[in-house]
Amino acid sequence: MFPVSGRSWRTAAALLPAGAAAAHISPAASWLPGLRPLLFPGLAGTGHVRHIALTFDDGPDPESTPRFLDVLDRLGVRATFFVVGEHAVRHPGLVRDTVRRGHELGVHGWRHDRPWRPAFAREAEEVARTVRVVHDLTGRRPLWYRPPYGILTTSRWRAARRSGLRTVLWSAWGRDWTADATPGSVRARVAADLRGGGTVLLHDADRYSAPGCWHAALGALPAIVADCREAGLTVGPLDEHGTAPAPAAPRPAVPEHAAGGC
């Protein structure tokens, strides 16, 4: 689900002028999980050293999301759910219920697409549209943005900033979107990168990944929370995490109208 091949990026970049391609794609270097906590602590979601931020992407989904909410209730844990706008409007009751149960909502874009070409105007409108939907449904304005597939571009970064959102990716993930994921593999993958102050990425839906893979994340969730607590770490949403300041947006290498129009 997540990895984007170098060949795909090169093919997309070949369709653009060199300067525009560089300006558009260069922030995607922050995708590299090994370097992100060191070079981009704000993007990695680095927060309080005794806290873990628990986050979920790709919902809401009426089949799977309620099951995650139920497990989180039993565990006494709150989390941040990054919602896709086009699904939020289809399931307004589920969006409201997520907030009613004490969880936080973030913006995961209006659609779950890859940004092959610069399109600032479209990105800005779709991010703002999702912000409006979340606010209209819950009465709360979201604070956070995570781009689909974790691919951060200049257009996406600027779109989030225009809507007053902080962009945050993750420092540990469960690779729970794959067909061969199991509760054990998800737990082990999270544990491999789990550190105090980290942000964990899981998925509460399978629309953009292997069918049924959310069962692996759901099954791993109690053990992941237990591992955190045994290490003396509290688990909660990003709004309790105290994330490090985000780095400044990269300066476009080409005029704004050339890099952004859709």
Side-chain angles (χ1 to χ4, degrees), residues 87-241:
H87 302 305
V89 297
R90 292 172 185 157
H91 308 291
L94 183 51
V95 172
R96 295 189 188 100
D97 189 45
T98 301
V99 172
R100 182 187 63 77
R101 297 199 195 195
H103 304 289
E104 178 184 37
L105 299 184
V107 171
H108 200 36
W110 184 259
R111 301 174 296 165
H112 201 282
D113 58 352
R114 291 188 175 95
W116 298 127
R117 298 182 63 84
F120 173 66
R122 178 178 62 80
E123 297 279 7
E125 169 54 28
E126 292 188 350
V127 169
R129 187 179 181 188
T130 307
V131 169
R132 291 194 298 270
V133 166
V134 170
H135 183 266
D136 290 347
L137 290 176
T138 69
R140 301 182 185 181
R141 196 179 190 283
L143 302 175
W144 312 99
Y145 170 70
R146 177 176 288 157
Y149 298 102
I151 303 172
L152 183 60
T153 65
T154 299
S155 293
R156 286 180 165 181
W157 197 321
R158 290 168 58 216
R161 289 171 66 89
R162 173 171 286 190
S163 285
L165 302 176
R166 286 273 304 278
T167 300
V168 61
L169 300 179
W170 61 87
S171 56
W173 60 3
R175 294 188 66 87
D176 53 334
W177 64 88
T178 62
D180 59 351
T182 65
S185 73
V186 172
R187 177 188 184 184
R189 191 65 186 85
V190 169
D193 294 320
L194 191 66
R195 304 290 185 277
T199 292
V200 173
L201 165 65
L202 297 172
H203 297 80
D204 63 305
D206 61 2
R207 290 189 181 94
Y208 314 106
S209 49
C213 62
W214 58 265
H215 290 280
L218 185 68
L221 190 52
I224 291 172
V225 171
D227 289 344
C228 292
R229 288 172 170 168
E230 288 175 9
L233 304 172
T234 59
V235 182
L238 282 164
D239 66 0
E240 296 179 351
H241 194 47

Side-chain angles (χ1 to χ4, degrees), residues 48 64 139 159 244-245 259:
H48 294 307
S64 53

